[in-house]
Amino acid sequence: MLQNRKPYLLILPSLLATVFLFIGGILYGIFESIGFSPLVGEKQVTLKYYLEIFNSDDFWQAFFTTIRIASLSTIFSVILGVLIIYFLYIMKVNKKNQSAILAQRLFQVPMLFPYLVFSYIVYIIFSSTGWCSRILYGLGIIDSMDNFPIMINDRFGWGIIIAYVWKTSPFVVLMLYPVLLKVPLSLIDAAKVFGANKFTAFKEVVFPLLISPLKLSAFIVFSYSFLAFEVPYILGVTYPKTLSVYSYLTYTTGNLSERPKAMAINIASTFCVIVIGLIFYLLKKGEGNEG
Amino acid sequence: MKDKTTNGVILIGIIFIALISILPFVFLSILSFSQGWAWPKILPNSLSLGAWKYVFAPTSGTINAIFTSLKVAIVVTIINLVLAIPAGDALGRYKFKGKKIIEAILLMPIIIPPIIIMMGMHKTFIVFNLTESTLGVILCHIVPTLPYMIRAVTISYNQLGFKWEEQGKMLGAGKIDRFFNIVFPFLIPGIVAGSSLSIVISLSQYIITVLMGGGQVVTLPMIMFPFINGGNQGIGAAYSILFALIAVIALIAMDLLLKRYYNDRKIN
């Protein structure tokens, strides 16, 4: 009997902490977004804040900007991640294991630094007075800083995308790397015996094994870049904002009556992430049934 | 011929990786020592220690901010360890009803950024008088860090299983002895990995510290922010490097500390 209860007792402290701090945050957000706030004596439930945001252009602009930035960041990050894995694979089949480990470690370096610092690095390299523009001028490709394409604080969000790809592709590589360690070289040699070159061997033997961790990392990168705050706060524009910046500014700079609206934005966007997570989960489950 | 192309691919790859991981920091270093670096100069006119002098001047409050940041990160990591070691045991070694759902709840903060959650918690924190306090900031930082710690410790427990502990039991070791001499050494890699993530993520938090600390709990990212967001570029660069160094030193120190502890126990 005690044995049955043991895992629950072990997990209880963590669960309580998560429920109070995390689930609590979501629940309070939901309550506040429907105007239900017993702590300050408001008990009238209303959907007007949701209607308000769904009827506002600002919200939909922010929504589509955020979707665009998160999708492009995810796509580029995943492509870069797979390219790096392919390159590590080439090193491995050429018996250059030491350099493969070194290259992998080197590629992880950006993970050590916060998004704040990374936004700054992207700013000083890609802004119109940044290093890239100086080098292009030096090479005679552009003749004034105005000719440099606007990549920072631009409406499209290229600066934000660059920062996310730079920061998240090491994470993708970290998630995929164990697959490379698991694939036995003999399998690749066998593929070569049957006439496959290195690329075909990678496509036929390694890539199928990458799909599952690739989906998971794509989901994590997408959901993170969907709602993270610091990067678009520094590299974004006043209009259109991303959802997280839009909601934070509504929360802090508007008057108190605007706060439930910020909560409604938060809850709507959290809901999006959870729906995408469920789709991902069901896709994975379907895959499991086939195998 | 074929080998040549392969070597070419490897060389290009290494140059590319070095470019994207090392170059930014070379550039930050030059920027932090630069003086009068107007467009379109590729390198600065002259070098200066001005930015670094500012960073370490007593008026800048850098040293205090570093201590606050480290204090928060260390306390957060210790709390995470206390919470995650039992949780990792349950998730890594036991089968029980509802395990999948509980695990999903515990890991969910990985995909939802803390600022979204903390805006929801803000009122509650105000009611419980937790805003503008270090304790409030510590509680905030637990949200984005705990899942990583749980994940890391779970993997270690999963690899450990029950067999070693059962052997210890047969040889007459008590519960506490078994934990410190059998389980804990086995968990060290997971603890190091989880604590590293916990420290780095806590050090990196900006906006939730601003929201909950209300400007009263000043951490390094907060001191850095005005310079990064359109302020003096040299100072922004110096702070960025300082931040990176502190993160690396904290990680190395923790790694050494835990390994030394482990070695001491082995000798005993």
Side-chain angles (χ1 to χ4, degrees):
Chain A
M1 187 60 203
L2 188 71
Q3 207 55 30
N4 287 338
R5 255 186 297 173
K6 199 179 173 193
Y8 295 104
L9 290 177
L10 288 171
I11 211 140
L12 194 64
S14 284
L15 196 59
L16 283 180
T18 308
V19 166
F20 276 125
L21 293 169
F22 178 77
I23 306 290
I26 295 181
L27 286 182
Y28 280 121
I30 293 175
F31 289 159
E32 220 178 324
S33 72
I34 53 172
F36 179 76
S37 188
L39 281 175
V40 291
E42 285 164 25
K43 291 180 182 164
Q44 197 70 36
V45 173
T46 167
L47 284 177
K48 71 171 182 196
Y49 300 109
Y50 283 97
L51 291 176
E52 215 176 292
I53 60 165
F54 291 146
N55 281 324
S56 88
D57 263 357
D58 287 0
F59 174 79
W60 291 110
Q61 283 284 352
F63 182 78
F64 289 117
T65 305
T66 308
I67 292 264
R68 183 180 62 218
I69 288 173
S71 323
L72 287 177
S73 304
T74 309
I75 292 168
F76 290 140
S77 176
V78 161
I79 292 175
L80 184 60
V82 173
L83 278 178
I84 298 287
I85 286 291
Y86 177 66
F87 161 67
L88 294 175
Y89 154 86
I90 293 283
M91 280 178 145
K92 223 186 138 198
V93 289
N94 283 292
K95 313 272 184 290
K96 294 199 161 97
N97 276 322
Q98 287 301 318
S99 3
I101 292 168
L102 179 76
Q104 202 259 347
R105 291 263 166 85
L106 210 58
F107 196 67
Q108 305 296 303
V109 170
M111 286 183 82
L112 266 180
F113 302 91
Y115 280 91
L116 215 56
V117 170
F118 247 83
S119 313
Y120 186 56
I121 290 170
V122 169
Y123 176 80
I124 54 183
I125 291 180
F126 292 102
S127 74
S128 57
T129 54
W131 222 20
C132 263
S133 121
R134 289 161 198 245
I135 287 172
L136 288 182
Y137 180 85
L139 293 172
I141 296 172
I142 56 172
D143 52 15
S144 87
M145 63 173 89
D146 300 330
N147 290 358
F148 190 74
I150 300 170
M151 297 166 89
I152 303 299
N153 305 123
D154 60 321
R155 285 182 58 108
F156 192 86
W158 284 117
I160 304 172
I161 294 170
I162 294 172
Y164 278 140
V165 173
W166 207 335
K167 189 78 168 82
T168 56
S169 51
F171 168 76
V172 176
V173 171
L174 194 71
M175 298 278 284
L176 301 183
Y177 193 63
V179 173
L180 267 197
L181 295 178
K182 263 186 252 160
V183 178
L185 277 178
S186 55
L187 204 61
I188 291 156
D189 287 337
K192 278 196 211 150
V193 170
F194 288 106
N197 62 23
K198 277 170 201 152
F199 178 71
T200 332
F202 181 78
K203 209 175 83 184
E204 302 294 334
V205 180
V206 184
F207 194 70
L209 297 170
L210 290 179
I211 302 238
S212 177
L214 206 55
K215 277 186 193 162
L216 180 61
S217 39
F219 169 62
I220 293 177
V221 170
F222 181 87
S223 54
Y224 200 88
S225 48
F226 191 73
L227 286 178
F229 177 83
E230 277 91 345
V231 177
Y233 193 48
I234 293 179
L235 298 175
V237 278
T238 343
Y239 191 88
K241 297 181 182 74
T242 64
L243 284 173
S244 52
V245 176
Y246 180 42
S247 111
Y248 181 76
L249 293 180
T250 308
Y251 188 80
T252 51
T253 54
N255 50 36
L256 282 179
S257 60
E258 293 277 283
R259 289 192 169 185
K261 217 173 108 184
M263 292 303 154
I265 301 167
N266 283 349
I267 298 304
S269 23
T270 307
F271 182 75
C272 283
V273 170
I274 290 175
V275 167
I276 292 164
L278 280 179
I279 294 173
F280 161 80
Y281 176 76
L282 292 177
L283 280 177
K284 210 178 161 189
K285 216 174 161 188
E287 206 174 84
N289 289 342
E290 282 161 32
Chain B
M1 183 59 208
K2 220 178 163 192
D3 261 5
K4 255 188 188 165
T5 36
T6 314
N7 281 339
V9 169
I10 291 179
L11 192 70
I12 291 169
I14 288 191
I15 291 173
F16 178 71
I17 289 179
L19 208 67
I20 55 180
S21 55
I22 304 287
L23 198 72
F25 307 108
V26 175
F27 186 58
L28 278 178
S29 316
I30 303 175
L31 188 57
S32 77
F33 288 108
S34 72
Q35 192 178 33
W37 192 2
W39 197 86
K41 292 250 163 58
I42 290 174
L43 288 171
N45 300 355
S46 61
L47 297 178
S48 137
L49 281 175
W52 287 100
K53 272 188 188 147
Y54 174 86
V55 165
F56 285 110
T59 46
S60 68
T62 308
I63 303 291
N64 280 335
I66 292 175
F67 277 119
T68 311
S69 276
L70 286 176
K71 190 170 77 187
V72 171
I74 290 167
V75 176
V76 164
T77 304
I78 291 170
I79 296 176
N80 281 339
L81 276 173
V82 172
L83 293 171
I85 289 178
D89 190 359
L91 293 173
R93 298 199 293 182
Y94 291 87
K95 277 193 179 133
F96 53 94
K97 245 189 175 167
K99 182 174 167 176
K100 274 212 158 141
I101 292 174
I102 292 178
E103 197 171 10
I105 292 174
L106 291 176
L107 298 181
M108 215 154 79
I110 292 181
I111 55 162
I112 298 175
I115 181 60
I116 301 287
I117 305 307
M118 285 310 151
M119 273 190 247
M121 286 305 276
H122 196 201
K123 254 188 196 167
T124 316
F125 270 49
I126 294 174
V127 171
F128 286 101
N129 225 350
L130 286 166
T131 47
E132 302 186 8
S133 76
T134 312
L135 178 63
V137 171
I138 288 169
L139 289 176
C140 269
H141 285 200
I142 288 177
V143 175
T145 51
L146 179 62
Y148 290 97
M149 185 72 97
I150 291 178
R151 188 83 195 106
V153 178
T154 301
I155 294 170
S156 286
Y157 265 113
N158 198 279
Q159 287 162 348
L160 167 67
F162 286 111
K163 51 186 189 296
W164 298 107
E165 251 183 299
E166 272 157 17
Q167 288 204 11
K169 202 173 175 181
M170 282 201 291
L171 294 170
K175 233 180 177 169
I176 295 166
D177 267 351
R178 286 205 306 269
F179 180 79
F180 281 103
N181 290 318
I182 300 170
V183 178
F184 193 72
F186 215 99
L187 297 184
I188 294 264
I191 288 176
V192 170
S195 308
S196 310
L197 283 167
S198 175
I199 285 180
V200 171
I201 295 170
S202 167
L203 287 178
S204 314
Q205 295 306 320
Y206 166 71
I207 196 67
I208 55 172
T209 318
V210 173
L211 182 71
M212 288 301 186
Q216 299 302 306
V217 184
V218 181
T219 56
L220 195 56
M222 282 166 70
I223 289 222
M224 244 161 85
F225 189 77
F227 300 101
I228 282 180
N229 199 20
N232 181 309
Q233 290 209 346
I235 298 176
Y239 271 123
S240 299
I241 291 171
L242 185 67
F243 183 93
L245 284 179
I246 287 170
V248 171
I249 290 169
L251 292 186
I252 293 173
M254 193 193 54
D255 200 46
L256 288 178
L257 216 73
L258 280 169
K259 285 200 175 126
R260 216 181 82 188
Y261 173 84
Y262 177 48
N263 287 335
D264 281 357
R265 300 227 49 117
K266 254 203 316 209
I267 293 159
N268 290 341

